[in-house]
Amino acid sequence: MKKTVGVVSLISGALLLMIPRFILPVCEYAGYQPMHCSDTARAEYIVGALLIVAGAGAFVFRHAAAPLIAAVTAFLLSSAAYVAPNIYGYCRSAKMPCNYGTVPAVRFVAVLTAVIMIIATVHLIRKRTKARSS
């Protein structure tokens, strides 16, 4: 499960870094003037970078609780990635690329990461309690 937490966090972080700029760019990078979605993209960059750090931490740190801490951190960060568009805003026009592309893609990655991290957290907690009771 240590590898799963690390790999999923690294991939999710990389996707959150690339989606708003390259894969499904926000309005600013699609030829429009900077708008609220540009602020959301910057917030997603920060969350993506922190997810990469959490994923690397799952691999680097040798402490037994490192994967559990990384999984909980990744869950919290993916929750932040999900709500960031509502906090920082995005274009409400259905014709804008952030509305039909960036925000749904970011939320999909965030939800998928959160679900995987919940499963990983439950598994890691069960494993720790089982090892303590033995």
Side-chain angles (χ1 to χ4, degrees), residues 67-85:
L68 180 60
I69 293 169
V72 171
T73 303
F75 170 76
L76 294 173
L77 288 169
S78 63
S79 300
Y82 186 86
V83 299

Side-chain angles (χ1 to χ4, degrees), residues 12 15-16 18-20 23-25 44 81-82 85 97-113:
S12 300
L15 283 173
L16 288 178
M18 294 188 325
I19 286 173
I23 298 174
L24 293 165
E44 298 298 346
Y82 186 86
C98 61
N99 196 345
Y100 64 80
T102 309
V103 173
V106 163
R107 288 191 169 157
F108 176 76
V109 169
V111 167
L112 190 62
T113 303

Side-chain angles (χ1 to χ4, degrees), residues 38-118:
S38 301
D39 299 332
T40 298
R42 288 179 190 85
E44 298 298 346
Y45 297 153
I46 294 169
V47 172
L50 291 173
L51 265 170
I52 289 173
V53 170
F59 287 120
V60 171
F61 295 116
R62 302 275 182 203
H63 194 273
L68 180 60
I69 293 169
V72 171
T73 303
F75 170 76
L76 294 173
L77 288 169
S78 63
S79 300
Y82 186 86
V83 299
N86 288 343
I87 294 171
Y88 296 104
Y90 60 97
C91 306
R92 298 296 178 187
S93 172
K95 295 179 182 180
M96 300 307 260
C98 61
N99 196 345
Y100 64 80
T102 309
V103 173
V106 163
R107 288 191 169 157
F108 176 76
V109 169
V111 167
L112 190 62
T113 303
V115 168
I116 292 170
M117 291 306 153
I118 288 171

